[in-house]
């Protein structure tokens, strides 16, 4: 009897071991869903509730006259950059305004959700060694990636449904078809970047680099879409660029205006192609390795690589290099739109001209606004940089460094200092690029230095968010998401607060509103001092608290 039982168990093991590359996907899926039992609903509700919030607030605070005044934004290139081409703004309604002004921001949230989900369940698991333990069981080669993709797909599907349903029940009373289409557009954008992340996690053995590659693709997609939409609102020749971006396809559905569903098929098709590519790449690499080969290091470390500061720089150098290229190119590109802004000032509505500083100051208003806009991008870099400390800590690399003569405070503050200097460098590069583009377009090189200085002067807002992130990390890596919440609220208040005619007390909650949009406005040195001081205090408190907590290695 025992021999028969032993033979049966052996046959079962052989049968299981002969399974395909997707063996064990269902069990891993259940494990990932249990692991994300908090993260899943938080991300999904964050995006869908934000859409419902915008729909209700706009419907309650804006009367018909104020809403009709927003039709002026359809002719503004900045409107195209921030929100999109503004379909239906010639006969504007609350649902059309919500889609046109906030749709891109919500798509970015869905994209970040997908990128972090794929990286969390694939590359991070390999980097920490947990994937090797899982693969030691009866688990197929592609099962972890397949399960992670299913989790990301479920998150986007649930988010799309909740967004559509919450919008339908809002005070704006939108049409059901348009609400569901808008939600489906957010889900399609999230799916597309889940596919992007599935490919990038195959390229590098490090989760930070893999997520950085995906973030770079997202940034390029945003810039390409922005250029196309800025051209579209001016009836330019570059509107076709919007069709090259996964963020542009959901916008082309024009919810509540045209209600075209077919552009979403482009996002789904891209997701399918990228998933197939990801599986093909995974078949060509070893576990915990990447497609891109690692460079051979030196036999001995250089003399300067001996302290925590140089180590922090060495680890952040690839990320800073990638962001540097993006900031410089983005600055030149958006600076080139200064001439169209100046040429179109006379034909712009009074509301736009007034917000941009008047007809005589529209150039200064545009480049001043772009300084704040680039500061928001660099603030995202700073928060992501602090988030990477969590990967260092969980990967047991922090423990190895602190086992030497490096103190905890020195390790954390060295990383903070490199990120702070890197933030200033990135904003300066964006200012140089913007200055070159604007000066060349206007044929006035006297504006180069004011534009470059105006961009660099925005760095204290970034430093405040950096210090807050370091402070939260010092307490616990799990609460770093609060820094993203402060960033999102600050960015929304800065971008849309004036349109909603909010009180100055409310607007002052944004860290991006205290320096001044130079050269359109004077630089507030008091604001610079206060923002820098708060950031420094938060970072110092984070270093003190970090000395007293246990490291998180699992």
């Amino acid at each position: 009897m025992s021999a028969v039982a032993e033979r049966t168990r052996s046959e079962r093991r052989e049968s299981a071991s002969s399974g395909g590359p997707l063996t064990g996907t269902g069990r891993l899926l259940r494990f990932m869903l249990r692991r994300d039992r908090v993260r899943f609903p938080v991300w999904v509700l964050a995006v869908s509730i934000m859409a419902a919030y915008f729909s209700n607030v706009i419907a309650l605070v804006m009367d018909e006259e104020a809403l009709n005044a927003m039709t002026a934004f359809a002719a503004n290139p900045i409107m195209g950059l921030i929100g999109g081409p503004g379909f239906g703004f010639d006969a504007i309604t609350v649902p059309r305004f919500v889609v046109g002004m906030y749709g891109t921001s919500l798509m970015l949230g869905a994209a970040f959700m997908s990128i972090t989900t794929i990286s969390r369940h694939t590359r991070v698991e390999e980097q920490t060694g947990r994937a090797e333990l899982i693969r030691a069981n009866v688990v197929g080669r592609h099962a972890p990636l397949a399960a992670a993709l299913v989790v990301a797909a479920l998150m986007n599907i649930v988010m799309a449904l909740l967004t559509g349903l919450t919008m339908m029940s809002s005070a704006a009373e939108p049409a059901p078809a348009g609400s569901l289409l808008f939600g489906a557009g957010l889900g399609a954008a999230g799916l597309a970047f889940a596919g992007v992340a599935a490919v990038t996690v195959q390229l590098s053995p490090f989760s930070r680099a893999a997520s950085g590659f995906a973030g770079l693709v997202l940034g390029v997609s945003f810039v390409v879409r922005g250029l196309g939409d800025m051209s579209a609102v001016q009836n330019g020749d570059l509107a076709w660029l919007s069709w090259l971006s996964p963020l542009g396809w959901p916008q082309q559905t024009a919810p509540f205006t045209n209600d075209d569903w077919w552009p979403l098929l482009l996002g789904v098709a891209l997701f399918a192609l990228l998933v197939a590519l990801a599986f093909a790449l995974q078949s060509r690499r070893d576990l915990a390795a990447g497609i891109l080969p690692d460079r051979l290091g030196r036999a001995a470390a250089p003399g300067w690589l001996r302290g925590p500061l140089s180590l922090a720089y060495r680890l952040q150098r690839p990320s800073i290099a990638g962001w540097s290229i993006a900031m410089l190119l983005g600055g030149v590109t958006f600076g080139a739109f200064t001439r169209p802004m100046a040429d179109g000032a006379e034909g712009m509505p009074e509301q736009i001209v007034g917000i941009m500083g008047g007809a005589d100051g529209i150039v200064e208003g545009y480049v001043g606004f772009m300084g704040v806009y680039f500061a928001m991008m660099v603030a995202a870099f700073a928060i992501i940089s602090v988030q990477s400390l969590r990967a260092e800590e969980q990967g047991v690399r922090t423990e190895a460094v602190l086992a030497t003569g490096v103190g905890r405070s020195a390790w954390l503050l060295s990383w903070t200092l490199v990120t702070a200097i890197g933030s200033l460098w990135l904003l300066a590069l964006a200012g140089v690029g913007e200055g070159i583009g604007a000066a060349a377009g206007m044929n006035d090189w006297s504006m180069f230095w004011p534009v470059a200085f105006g961009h660099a002067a925005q760095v204290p807002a970034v430093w405040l968010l950096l210090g807050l992130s370091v402070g939260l990390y010092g307490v616990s890596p799990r609460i770093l998401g609060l820094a993203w919440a402060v960033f999102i609220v600050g960015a929304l208040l800065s971008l849309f607060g004036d349109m909603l005619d909010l009180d100055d007390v409310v607007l002052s909650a944004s860290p991006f509103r205290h320096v001044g949009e130079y050269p359109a406005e004077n630089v507030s040195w008091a604001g610079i001092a206060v923002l820098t001081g708060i950031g420094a205090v938060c970072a110092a408190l984070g270093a003190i608290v970090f000395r007293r907590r246990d490291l998180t290695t699992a």
Side-chain angles (χ1 to χ4, degrees), residues 20-22 123 126 135 140-143 145 198-199 201-203 274-287 289-291:
L22 297 179
R123 181 53 68 181
E126 293 187 38
R135 288 283 299 277
R141 172 186 288 270
H142 300 319
L145 177 59
V199 172
V201 295
Q202 312 304 323
L203 302 180
L274 291 176
V275 167
L277 176 60
F279 285 139
L281 292 176
Q282 192 175 54
S283 299
R284 298 176 61 87
R285 69 174 180 87
D286 294 329
L287 185 67
I291 292 294

Side-chain angles (χ1 to χ4, degrees), residues 366-376 427 434 451 454-456 458 517-518:
Y366 171 70
V367 296
F369 170 83
M370 290 307 302
V372 176
Y373 196 76
F374 276 108
M376 297 177 190
L427 272 175
E434 185 97 18
V451 173
H455 283 57
Q458 301 296 331
E517 298 181 4
Y518 188 84

Side-chain angles (χ1 to χ4, degrees), residues 138-193:
V138 184
V139 175
R141 172 186 288 270
H142 300 319
L145 177 59
L149 287 167
V150 173
V151 172
L154 288 174
M155 293 177 75
N156 283 285
I157 292 172
V158 174
M159 177 202 65
L161 290 174
L162 282 179
T163 300
L165 293 175
T166 54
M167 283 196 69
M168 278 191 288
S169 60
S170 68
E173 299 182 353
S179 299
L180 294 176
L181 177 57
F182 179 57
L186 300 183
L191 275 180
F193 284 96

Side-chain angles (χ1 to χ4, degrees), residues 425-495:
W425 164 257
L426 293 177
L427 272 175
L429 273 182
V432 168
E434 185 97 18
I436 292 174
M442 299 295 296
N443 196 22
D444 181 10
W445 289 93
S446 64
M447 64 184 304
F448 172 79
W449 287 112
V451 173
F453 172 74
H455 283 57
Q458 301 296 331
V459 75
V462 179
W463 286 344
L464 183 144
L465 290 169
L466 170 62
L468 175 63
S469 301
V470 173
L472 293 172
Y473 171 78
V475 176
S476 174
R478 295 179 178 273
I479 61 174
L480 264 174
L482 294 177
W484 283 112
V486 175
F487 165 75
I488 293 172
V489 171
L492 292 176
L493 287 175
S494 184
L495 291 174

Side-chain angles (χ1 to χ4, degrees), residues 123-377:
R123 181 53 68 181
V124 171
E125 294 297 290
E126 293 187 38
Q127 188 174 328
T128 57
R130 291 191 291 266
E132 186 174 3
L133 296 176
I134 293 175
R135 288 283 299 277
N137 293 281
V138 184
V139 175
R141 172 186 288 270
H142 300 319
L145 177 59
L149 287 167
V150 173
V151 172
L154 288 174
M155 293 177 75
N156 283 285
I157 292 172
V158 174
M159 177 202 65
L161 290 174
L162 282 179
T163 300
L165 293 175
T166 54
M167 283 196 69
M168 278 191 288
S169 60
S170 68
E173 299 182 353
S179 299
L180 294 176
L181 177 57
F182 179 57
L186 300 183
L191 275 180
F193 284 96
V196 170
V199 172
T200 59
V201 295
Q202 312 304 323
L203 302 180
S204 172
F206 303 105
S207 60
R208 182 168 59 245
S211 299
F213 289 150
L216 180 61
V217 175
L218 177 60
V220 171
S221 300
F222 180 84
V223 171
V224 170
R225 179 216 56 84
L227 293 175
D229 291 342
M230 289 176 76
S231 179
V233 300
Q234 293 183 310
N235 296 319
D237 299 328
L238 299 177
W240 55 271
L241 287 174
S242 299
W243 288 95
L244 301 181
S245 170
L247 297 176
W249 302 331
Q251 290 180 337
Q252 298 301 321
T253 63
F256 309 110
T257 303
N258 298 331
D259 288 340
D260 293 328
W261 285 81
W262 71 265
L264 299 184
L265 297 177
L266 298 175
V268 176
L270 178 63
F271 172 72
L273 290 174
L274 291 176
V275 167
L277 176 60
F279 285 139
L281 292 176
Q282 192 175 54
S283 299
R284 298 176 61 87
R285 69 174 180 87
D286 294 329
L287 185 67
I291 292 294
L292 300 178
D294 295 333
R295 293 184 302 170
L296 295 177
R298 298 181 181 180
W304 60 269
L305 194 60
R306 293 182 177 177
L309 187 63
S310 57
L311 176 62
Y313 166 72
R314 179 66 180 82
L315 292 176
Q316 296 191 60
R317 186 171 63 182
S319 176
I320 293 176
W323 277 83
S324 297
I325 296 173
M327 290 295 103
L328 182 60
L329 294 179
V332 173
T333 302
F334 291 122
F337 273 86
T338 306
R339 167 58 70 181
M341 287 289 296
D343 292 342
E346 294 182 358
M348 287 186 183
E350 295 180 0
Q351 296 92 336
I352 295 297
V353 176
I355 290 177
M356 297 301 295
D360 296 333
I362 197 165
V363 170
E364 290 78 8
Y366 171 70
V367 296
F369 170 83
M370 290 307 302
V372 176
Y373 196 76
F374 276 108
M376 297 177 190
M377 298 185 194

Side-chain angles (χ1 to χ4, degrees), residues 386 389-390 393 408 411-412 467-482 537-552:
V386 178
L389 289 175
R390 183 176 184 179
E393 187 173 338
R408 287 193 172 205
W411 178 80
L412 182 57
L468 175 63
S469 301
V470 173
L472 293 172
Y473 171 78
V475 176
S476 174
R478 295 179 178 273
I479 61 174
L480 264 174
L482 294 177
V537 169
C538 289
L541 292 176
I544 293 173
V545 176
F546 179 64
R547 294 171 57 184
R548 290 169 169 78
R549 73 166 174 85
D550 295 332
L551 295 180
T552 303

